[in-house]
Amino acid sequence: MISKPLVLTYLYLLIYILLSSGVILYNKWVLSPKYFDFPFPITLTMIHMGFSGVVAFFLVRVLKVVSPVKMTFEIYATCVIPISAFFASSLWFGNTAYLHISVAFIQMLKALMPVATYLMAVVCATDSPRCDLLLNMVLVSVGVVVSSYGEIHFNVVGTVYQVTGIFAEALRLVLTQVLLQKKGLTLNPITSLYYIAPCSFVFLFVPWYLLEKPAMEVSQIEFNFWIFFSNALCALALNFSIFLVIGRTGAVTIRVAGVLKDWILIALSTVVFPESTITGLNIIGYAIALCGVVMYNYLKVKDVRASQSTSESIPDRITKDWKLEKKSSDIFVPNHGGDNNGGNFATSELNVDEEAPLIPSATRLSHIGRTQLNHTA
């Protein structure tokens, strides 16, 4: 007999896959000139951020579902602001790509996320260069290049926007790990939206005012409240579904679900948007890239298990030393709190979550998000 927790887990996974695919297709439909024809990606992103910020404020300040963290001006200025800036950038560039390239090709390009994250981690000194990981990155890159070469409707502008958004998201993930971990600050999904969504909205206002506001005044597009409300509601629901899935399963499972979702989404996009065409070279290139991604995930999970094994062996070694020396004052108690002086367990676990959807469980450092996370994603 199937247990109830297992049924709930698969139900949450199904909801996540449906919501993630639905948000991506919905965003494409809203932005595409061939359908709803609202070619203003910054405006759409601002609607998402504004709606998420209002809901989070209502939950924190009115209903008091969760309590706000102790946020000082120094933490806000050095952590929340830079993270929000890159978060806003990744959403802006990612949504803009929908205007130029197909959903299927965007999903293929997203295979570059492990490459971008690993490179940013090396640059920020949160990870070290390793031959095995570098070879996987090369394999992923080759697969994406092959897939791009096979793209019939290849568009340089759209590709640049998407790749730029991927690197902005990768840098945001690394900064979230470095900055918030350094401050010992943990955020749950609601408080993450409470602090980061309004700040991201403000960052998006400047490019919106300069780039889209004049065009909107000229085009005089009618604002359909229900379309944008339902779109923002779906994006918010996706954030919470990611939280539920990771809370019940973990980052590894949701990565597998993410790969399944990508294949389903690529297939669905060709049905929903008939102008999207997939070639054999697209599929071959994407398969090559996925092989690299799977191997990368395997190596990262292996690293985490090794770190856990090391962490668990420390108390045994301490006990042995204590028995030999009979000095309780010499006992070393390892710090598992995840600060700079602790072991590498917390950091290694975060590395597992680097490309996973961006809201982990309460025991992990919180990441907002499409993708990417990818509610734009």
Side-chain angles (χ1 to χ4, degrees):
M1 184 176 179
I2 301 176
S3 63
K4 184 177 178 180
L6 185 62
V7 172
L8 284 176
T9 299
Y10 281 113
L11 178 62
Y12 289 156
L13 283 170
L14 178 62
I15 292 173
Y16 156 68
I17 291 174
L18 291 177
L19 281 173
S20 181
S21 302
V23 168
I24 291 169
L25 295 174
Y26 203 170
N27 285 351
K28 174 67 175 179
W29 182 82
V30 169
L31 294 169
S32 176
K34 294 184 179 180
Y35 297 96
F36 187 69
D37 192 18
F38 185 79
F40 301 107
I42 303 177
T43 305
L44 184 65
T45 307
M46 288 179 68
I47 292 173
H48 289 176
M49 292 296 97
F51 181 76
S52 297
V54 169
V55 171
F57 179 85
F58 184 77
L59 292 174
V60 173
R61 293 298 183 183
V62 180
L63 296 181
K64 301 186 184 299
V65 175
V66 295
S67 300
V69 301
K70 295 181 180 179
M71 182 67 66
T72 65
F73 176 79
E74 188 264 339
I75 293 178
Y76 194 87
T78 58
C79 296
V80 175
I81 290 179
I83 290 170
S84 300
F86 285 104
F87 182 48
S89 300
S90 67
L91 296 178
W92 168 18
F93 295 132
N95 279 334
T96 304
Y98 287 119
L99 297 175
H100 305 280
I101 54 181
S102 67
V103 171
F105 186 48
I106 285 175
Q107 294 308 118
M108 294 176 188
L109 288 175
K110 284 179 181 177
L112 284 173
M113 180 57 78
V115 178
T117 307
Y118 179 66
L119 291 177
M120 292 299 101
V122 171
V123 170
C124 296
T126 62
D127 208 338
S128 57
R130 288 169 45 184
C131 290
D132 52 355
L133 293 180
L134 288 174
L135 287 175
N136 284 328
M137 300 302 97
V138 171
L139 184 62
V140 172
S141 302
V142 169
V144 172
V145 169
V146 171
S147 180
S148 301
Y149 185 76
E151 176 65 16
I152 295 177
H153 305 293
F154 182 81
N155 183 284
V156 176
V157 175
T159 303
V160 170
Y161 269 117
Q162 182 59 40
V163 173
T164 304
I166 288 172
F167 274 89
E169 175 67 6
L171 186 55
R172 184 193 70 83
L173 287 172
V174 175
L175 285 178
T176 300
Q177 177 182 338
V178 173
L179 298 178
L180 292 187
Q181 184 182 2
K182 184 178 180 180
K183 302 296 182 181
L185 185 66
T186 56
L187 302 174
N188 61 47
I190 298 175
T191 53
S192 295
L193 291 173
Y194 177 74
Y195 290 109
I196 294 179
C199 191
S200 296
F201 182 93
V202 173
F203 273 108
L204 290 166
F205 181 81
V206 175
W208 172 81
Y209 187 83
L210 297 176
L211 300 176
E212 291 191 359
K213 182 176 180 293
M216 293 180 71
E217 292 174 348
V218 173
S219 61
Q220 297 181 343
I221 293 179
E222 294 184 6
F223 187 87
N224 188 315
F225 171 80
W226 293 110
I227 290 291
F228 293 105
F229 174 75
S230 60
N231 183 261
L233 188 63
C234 288
L236 182 66
L238 174 60
N239 278 322
F240 288 109
S241 73
I242 293 168
F243 169 68
L244 290 174
V245 170
I246 294 184
R248 294 191 66 89
T249 60
V252 177
T253 301
I254 204 169
R255 280 180 172 182
V256 175
V259 172
L260 176 62
K261 181 262 298 181
D262 288 342
W263 283 107
I264 293 174
L265 188 53
I266 289 172
L268 277 178
S269 66
T270 60
V271 177
V272 178
F273 306 108
E275 69 276 7
S276 300
T277 305
I278 300 176
T279 66
L281 205 55
N282 280 145
I283 296 175
I284 293 172
Y286 187 54
I288 293 172
L290 278 184
C291 288
V293 172
V294 170
M295 286 301 299
Y296 175 80
N297 290 341
Y298 170 76
L299 290 172
K300 283 296 184 180
V301 171
K302 189 177 178 181
D303 290 344
V304 172
R305 287 176 178 171
S307 299
Q308 290 175 335
S309 176
T310 302
S311 299
E312 290 169 357
S313 66
I314 290 175
D316 296 335
R317 189 168 63 250
I318 293 170
T319 303
K320 185 181 295 184
D321 292 341
W322 179 80
K323 288 180 179 179
L324 290 173
E325 298 182 11
K326 302 293 184 182
K327 293 181 180 180
S328 60
S329 60
D330 293 338
I331 296 179
F332 167 71
V333 180
N335 183 357
H336 295 294
D339 60 13
N340 289 344
N341 297 322
N344 61 358
F345 172 72
T347 303
S348 298
E349 187 178 33
L350 285 171
N351 288 337
V352 174
D353 293 340
E354 284 170 350
E355 301 81 43
L358 307 177
I359 304 181
S361 63
T363 58
R364 297 188 178 104
L365 186 62
S366 184
H367 298 151
I368 295 273
R370 110 6 218 234
T371 279
Q372 269 258 162
L373 109 132
N374 331 163
H375 62 260
T376 63

